[in-house]
Protein backbone atom coordinates (compact mmCIF):
# COMPACT_ATOMS: atom_id res chain seq x y z
CA UNK A 1 0.00 0.00 0.00
CA UNK A 2 2.80 2.43 0.88
CA UNK A 3 4.36 2.17 -2.56
CA UNK A 4 1.23 1.66 -4.66
CA UNK A 5 -1.46 3.90 -3.20
CA UNK A 6 0.46 6.26 -0.93
CA UNK A 7 3.09 6.87 -3.59
CA UNK A 8 6.30 6.21 -1.67
CA UNK A 9 9.23 5.33 -3.89
CA UNK A 10 10.99 2.01 -3.36
CA UNK A 11 14.00 3.90 -2.04
CA UNK A 12 11.93 5.94 0.44
CA UNK A 13 10.13 2.80 1.59
CA UNK A 14 13.32 0.83 2.13
CA UNK A 15 15.03 3.74 3.91
CA UNK A 16 12.07 4.42 6.21
CA UNK A 17 11.43 2.85 9.56
CA UNK A 18 8.16 1.11 10.26
CA UNK A 19 6.62 4.06 12.11
CA UNK A 20 7.32 6.39 9.18
CA UNK A 21 5.65 3.98 6.76
CA UNK A 22 2.62 3.63 9.04
CA UNK A 23 2.43 7.43 9.41
CA UNK A 24 2.41 7.78 5.61
CA UNK A 25 -0.35 5.16 5.30
CA UNK A 26 -2.40 6.76 8.09
CA UNK A 27 -2.03 10.21 6.49
CA UNK A 28 -3.17 8.83 3.15
CA UNK A 29 -6.15 7.12 4.79
CA UNK A 30 -7.19 10.31 6.62
CA UNK A 31 -6.96 12.33 3.40
CA UNK A 32 -9.21 9.82 1.62
CA UNK A 33 -11.69 9.93 4.52
CA UNK A 34 -11.79 13.73 4.28
CA UNK A 35 -12.47 13.52 0.54
CA UNK A 36 -15.38 11.16 1.19
CA UNK A 37 -16.78 13.33 3.97
CA UNK A 38 -16.55 16.45 1.83
CA UNK A 39 -18.37 14.72 -1.00
CA UNK A 40 -21.21 13.58 1.28
CA UNK A 41 -21.50 16.98 2.93
CA UNK A 42 -21.70 18.70 -0.47
CA UNK A 43 -24.43 16.28 -1.52
CA UNK A 44 -26.39 16.97 1.67
CA UNK A 45 -25.99 20.72 1.17
CA UNK A 46 -27.29 20.47 -2.41
CA UNK A 47 -30.26 18.42 -1.20
CA UNK A 48 -31.13 21.05 1.39
CA UNK A 49 -30.88 23.85 -1.17
CA UNK A 50 -33.13 21.96 -3.58
CA UNK A 51 -35.76 21.31 -0.90
CA UNK A 52 -35.79 24.83 0.52
CA UNK A 53 -38.25 26.32 -2.04
CA UNK A 54 -40.75 23.53 -1.31
CA UNK A 55 -40.99 24.25 2.40
CA UNK A 56 -43.77 26.34 3.83
CA UNK A 57 -43.36 30.08 4.18
CA UNK A 58 -41.03 31.00 7.02
CA UNK A 59 -39.76 27.44 7.45
CA UNK A 60 -36.16 26.49 7.08
CA UNK A 61 -34.27 23.26 6.87
CA UNK A 62 -31.11 22.47 8.78
CA UNK A 63 -28.59 20.22 7.09
CA UNK A 64 -28.84 17.74 9.94
CA UNK A 65 -32.60 17.50 9.36
CA UNK A 66 -31.81 15.59 6.16
CA UNK A 67 -29.12 13.32 7.51
CA UNK A 68 -26.61 13.38 10.33
CA UNK A 69 -23.34 11.65 9.57
CA UNK A 70 -21.58 9.39 12.04
CA UNK A 71 -18.52 11.63 12.11
CA UNK A 72 -20.64 14.54 13.33
CA UNK A 73 -21.48 12.62 16.50
CA UNK A 74 -17.85 11.81 17.21
CA UNK A 75 -16.74 14.77 19.30
CA UNK A 76 -14.19 13.19 21.63
CA UNK A 77 -10.81 12.23 20.26
CA UNK A 78 -10.11 8.57 20.76
CA UNK A 79 -7.31 7.83 23.17
CA UNK A 80 -5.27 4.92 21.97
CA UNK A 81 -2.70 3.16 24.09
CA UNK A 82 0.03 1.07 22.56
CA UNK A 83 0.46 -2.37 24.09
CA UNK A 84 3.78 -4.09 24.76
CA UNK A 85 2.95 -6.56 22.00
CA UNK A 86 2.45 -3.74 19.52
CA UNK A 87 5.75 -2.13 20.52
CA UNK A 88 7.54 -5.46 20.07
CA UNK A 89 5.88 -5.96 16.68
CA UNK A 90 6.99 -2.48 15.60
CA UNK A 91 10.57 -3.23 16.72
CA UNK A 92 10.59 -6.48 14.73
CA UNK A 93 9.16 -4.73 11.66
CA UNK A 94 11.88 -2.07 11.91
CA UNK A 95 14.52 -4.81 12.03
CA UNK A 96 12.94 -6.55 9.06
CA UNK A 97 12.85 -3.36 6.99
CA UNK A 98 16.47 -2.58 7.83
CA UNK A 99 17.49 -6.09 6.73
CA UNK A 100 15.57 -5.68 3.48
CA UNK A 101 17.36 -2.43 2.71
CA UNK A 102 20.76 -3.81 3.71
CA UNK A 103 21.24 -1.47 6.67
CA UNK A 104 21.42 -4.18 9.36
Amino acid sequence: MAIGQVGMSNEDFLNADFISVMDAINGYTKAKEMETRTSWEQTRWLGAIMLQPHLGKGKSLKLTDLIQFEWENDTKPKKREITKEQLEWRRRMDEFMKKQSGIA
Side-chain angles (χ1 to χ4, degrees):
M1 179 173 187
I3 294 172
Q5 292 179 327
V6 174
M8 291 181 79
S9 69
N10 285 334
E11 183 180 353
D12 287 343
F13 178 75
L14 292 174
N15 290 329
D17 64 356
F18 180 68
I19 299 299
S20 298
V21 172
M22 291 308 298
D23 285 345
I25 291 171
N26 288 336
Y28 172 82
T29 302
K30 286 182 182 179
K32 286 297 186 183
E33 282 178 11
M34 287 305 298
E35 286 177 19
T36 301
R37 287 181 182 190
T38 300
S39 176
W40 276 107
E41 288 170 359
Q42 288 173 342
T43 302
R44 179 177 62 179
W45 182 81
L46 284 171
I49 295 298
M50 291 175 65
L51 289 172
Q52 199 67 37
H54 302 286
L55 298 176
K57 196 167 194 126
K59 293 189 178 183
S60 64
L61 182 68
K62 292 187 290 184
L63 294 176
T64 54
D65 291 341
L66 290 177
I67 187 171
Q68 188 164 4
F69 299 118
E70 62 186 36
W71 58 82
E72 294 173 324
N73 296 328
D74 193 18
T75 56
K76 291 184 181 179
K78 298 174 186 170
K79 185 177 179 183
R80 185 170 173 245
E81 294 186 22
I82 299 174
T83 66
K84 289 179 183 179
E85 293 83 14
Q86 289 171 322
L87 286 172
E88 176 60 20
W89 187 74
R90 285 181 177 182
R91 186 191 63 74
R92 290 192 334 232
M93 288 303 295
D94 276 341
E95 286 178 11
F96 172 77
M97 292 175 76
K98 286 176 184 174
K99 285 180 187 176
Q100 295 297 312
S101 64
I103 294 173

